[in-house]
Amino acid sequence: MTATPHKLWRFNGGLKLPDHKAESTQETVFKPPLADCLTLPLRQHIGELAQPVVKAGDKVYKGQIIARCDTYVGAHIHAPTSGRVRGIEDHPVPHPSGLTAPCVVIEVDGDEDWGEHRMPPIEDLQNLDPARLRHRVREGGLVGMGGAAFPSAVKLNPRPQQTVDTVVVNGAECEPYITCDDMLMRTRADAVIQGLLLVKRALQPRQCLIGIEDNKPEALRAMTEALGGEENDNIRIVALPSRYPTGGERQLIRVLTGREVPSEGLPADVGVVCHNVGTLANIYRAVIRGEPLISRIVTVTGSGVQRPRNLRVPFGTPISHLVAHAGGYSDDVERLIMGGPMMGFALASDQVPIIKGTNCILAARSEEVDPPGPVMPCIRCGECVRVCPANLLPQQLYWFTRARDFDKAQDYSLFDCIECGCCAHVCPSNIPLVQFYRFAKNEIWSQEREKQEADAARLRHEMRQERLAREKREKAERMNRKKQALNDDSTADKPATAGGDPKKAAIQAALERAQAKKATQGADTTQTDQAKPPSDIGTQEKTR
C-alpha cells in the first residue's frame, strides 16, 4: 500500500544547479590503505579547543582518546589507528586562511590495534536511558557530519522549555558534486535507520521525517527497504524536489514541516531536532559496536582527478593520499576545494588533513571554476534578494559591510546568512558577496572577543583596587586596635597625673624613681654624721 503523500512547503529563493553527482557514484565506497602518518587538528568541531592528553613518544591504540574537550559544547578526539605520537606540532589545517594550528601527529604502525579502548556495546536497547545514550555519544566524540560539526550530544539534550515533537533526518545533500551521504545511504541504510531508532527512543518525538532529494533514486530505494516501506513506526521517507540549498537545516525544516526557525534561534525552539544521515550511522556504530568517530566517507571528485569516487578514510589522512587513490591529478588542475563549489573553500596545499567535517575534495579544472569578470558597482537589480533562501536583503548587507557599519548589518540579520553563495552566483556585477558577509561576521566576533577581554581586564583591575583598599583598611584597623590596647594598659597602670599618655607616664615614673633614690641617699648621709665617735669631735676642736 502506497503511503499518503507528505505535504511539502517551499522556502524562498534557491537555485536549480547541475548536480555533477553521477561522476563519483559509479563505484562503491573504497577503503584505501592507511597513510604513513596521520595529523589530527585539536579543533575539529564547533566549540572549545580539545586539550591533548598524550605526548611525544606515547604509544596509542585505535579508538583511544588523544585529546579531551569536557565543555558542554565540545567533542573528544580519538586515535584513528594505532601507532606512536610523533609530537604535538603546528601544521597546516583545513581553513581558508591556510594558517597552521596545533595538531597531534601519529606515526602509523599498521597494526590497527584497539587494545582495550573499544567502548563496550550497549545491549539492552529497549530500556536504553537517554542520559546513557548522550554519554555514549559524547564519549565517542560524535559531531554533525553535514559540515558544521556541531557536537551531537547537545542536540540529544533539549532544554526543559523545548518540547521536541519532530526529528528531521537530512539526506538531501543538495550541493553539486558531493555524494558521500548518497553512497552511505546506498550501502549502510540499515545503520542509518537503526541510529534513527536510537535517537527516537531518546527524544520520544511524535514523528520522524527523512528528507532525500529525488535525484538519488538508489538511496531512496535502499532507505525504503531498510525501513520496511515509505512509512513505518511514525517514520516517513520523503522525496524532495532537487533545489539548492534544500539541505540547509532551516530550509529542510521549512520544506518538511512548514515551520520557520526564528532569527538567531534554534530548531528546537520550534520543536524540531535535525540530524544528518552520517551522524545517525555513527550513533549506531558507537552504541552497537562501541566505535568512536574516527573515520568518514569523503567524496573525491571533479575533472581534476582521474577516477572520481568515494573513499572511507580515517581522520588525519592527508588529502594527497586520497587524490592518489582517486587516480591522481589530471592535467590543468586549477583549484583544490574542500567542500562543494558553492560553500567550499580553496586549499593552498594537498598536505592538509581530513577532519570530521570534511565531506568532499573537489579538484577543479579551469572550465569548472572560470574566474568571474571584474567586480563592477552594484546596479541594485535585486537578483540577490530573489534567490536568498534566508529571506534577507543581501544588497543592504553588502552596503553596510562595505561601510563597516556592522551594527546596522546585525540589525538586518547578518547572522541568519547561511553563506550558501546563491546571491554571489547570480550577481551580474560579480561582487563576492559571501566574502563580504564572512568578513563582517569575523570582524564582529573579533570585536566581541576584544570587548570580553577588555571587560575581563577592567574587572581584574577593579578587583585588585578593591583588594588593595581592603588590605589598607584592615591594616589601619589593626594599628588602631593595637594603639587602643596600649592606651588601655597605660591608663590602668599609671597615675592620673600622667594623663594617660604612655610617654608622660614613663617620664613621671623616671622622675619618681630619681626622687626616691635622692631621698634615700640623703637619709643615709644624716645617719652617718650622727654615728661618729666623741674623740673625733675633740680632735676637731683641738685642731681649731
Side-chain angles (χ1 to χ4, degrees), residues 206-373:
R206 178 176 54 83
Q207 62 176 347
C208 299
L209 302 173
I210 305 174
I212 305 172
E213 283 195 343
D214 55 15
N215 61 353
K216 303 174 183 59
E218 294 86 353
L220 281 164
R221 189 180 309 115
M223 291 289 287
T224 302
E225 291 175 359
L227 181 61
E230 293 181 10
E231 184 175 7
N232 188 8
D233 193 21
N234 295 329
I235 301 175
R236 177 188 284 266
I237 297 174
V238 183
L240 308 173
S242 300
R243 189 171 187 82
Y244 179 81
T246 300
E249 186 177 61
R250 295 185 177 211
Q251 287 67 42
L252 183 62
I253 291 172
R254 168 65 181 169
V255 170
L256 288 174
T257 68
R259 304 175 192 178
E260 293 278 0
V261 178
S263 177
E264 299 186 10
L266 297 172
D269 296 334
V270 293
V272 179
V273 166
C274 186
H275 281 291
N276 178 267
V277 290
T279 306
L280 296 178
N282 287 320
I283 290 175
Y284 166 78
R285 293 168 70 96
V287 172
I288 304 301
R289 300 173 59 177
E291 296 181 7
L293 182 57
I294 55 177
S295 66
R296 68 163 298 148
I297 298 175
V298 179
T299 303
V300 184
T301 187
S303 60
V305 292
Q306 300 281 358
R307 191 179 180 182
R309 65 199 309 192
N310 282 273
L311 307 174
R312 176 172 284 280
V313 293
F315 301 132
T317 303
I319 290 174
S320 59
H321 188 74
L322 278 72
V323 173
H325 288 278
Y329 291 110
S330 303
D331 296 333
D332 302 326
V333 177
E334 181 71 20
R335 191 175 303 167
L336 191 64
I337 300 171
M338 179 171 286
M342 299 296 288
M343 298 185 70
F345 56 88
L347 297 172
S349 167
D350 61 4
Q351 295 305 306
V352 299
I354 298 298
I355 59 175
K356 294 180 179 182
T358 306
N359 55 7
C360 179
I361 301 299
L362 174 60
R365 298 173 72 175
S366 56
E367 59 267 21
E368 293 175 304
V369 287
D370 286 334

Side-chain angles (χ1 to χ4, degrees), residues 393-465:
L393 297 175
Q395 177 193 64
Q396 296 301 113
L397 290 175
Y398 163 68
W399 287 114
F400 295 139
T401 299
R402 185 173 177 179
R404 302 182 69 90
D405 190 349
F406 301 129
D407 290 338
K408 200 71 173 177
Q410 284 185 277
D411 291 341
Y412 277 71
S413 304
L414 171 67
F415 284 94
D416 284 345
C417 171
I418 62 173
E419 301 177 16
C420 64
C422 289
C423 54
H425 186 80
V426 301
C427 179
S429 296
N430 302 313
I431 300 173
L433 294 168
V434 175
Q435 281 83 344
F436 276 94
Y437 308 151
R438 288 174 178 166
F439 163 74
K441 290 178 182 180
N442 287 327
E443 285 295 303
I444 292 170
W445 288 328
S446 177
Q447 290 176 5
E448 288 180 351
R449 284 193 298 268
E450 291 176 0
K451 182 178 182 300
Q452 291 172 357
E453 292 172 359
D455 290 344
R458 185 181 68 253
L459 181 61
R460 288 196 302 270
H461 175 72
E462 292 174 353
M463 293 179 67
R464 181 177 183 273
Q465 293 299 105

Side-chain angles (χ1 to χ4, degrees), residues 134-249:
R134 289 193 297 269
H135 179 74
R136 173 56 59 92
V137 170
R138 179 176 295 279
E139 286 300 303
L142 272 64
V143 300
M145 303 300 285
F150 189 80
S152 301
V154 179
K155 289 188 176 182
L156 296 175
N157 190 29
R159 294 192 291 266
Q161 67 271 26
Q162 296 172 329
T163 302
V164 175
D165 61 17
T166 302
V167 171
V168 168
V169 179
N170 191 344
E173 198 170 48
C174 59
E175 191 164 2
Y177 289 96
I178 307 174
T179 59
C180 55
D181 287 348
D182 185 2
M183 296 304 295
L184 173 67
M185 289 186 285
R186 294 189 197 189
T187 58
R188 300 286 180 87
D190 56 338
V192 176
I193 296 299
Q194 291 300 319
L196 175 58
L197 292 175
L198 293 171
V199 171
K200 186 170 178 284
R201 291 191 185 98
L203 297 177
Q204 296 294 313
R206 178 176 54 83
Q207 62 176 347
C208 299
L209 302 173
I210 305 174
I212 305 172
E213 283 195 343
D214 55 15
N215 61 353
K216 303 174 183 59
E218 294 86 353
L220 281 164
R221 189 180 309 115
M223 291 289 287
T224 302
E225 291 175 359
L227 181 61
E230 293 181 10
E231 184 175 7
N232 188 8
D233 193 21
N234 295 329
I235 301 175
R236 177 188 284 266
I237 297 174
V238 183
L240 308 173
S242 300
R243 189 171 187 82
Y244 179 81
T246 300
E249 186 177 61

Side-chain angles (χ1 to χ4, degrees), residues 28 132 176 221 482 500:
T28 189
R132 189 181 181 190
R221 189 180 309 115
K482 183 180 288 188

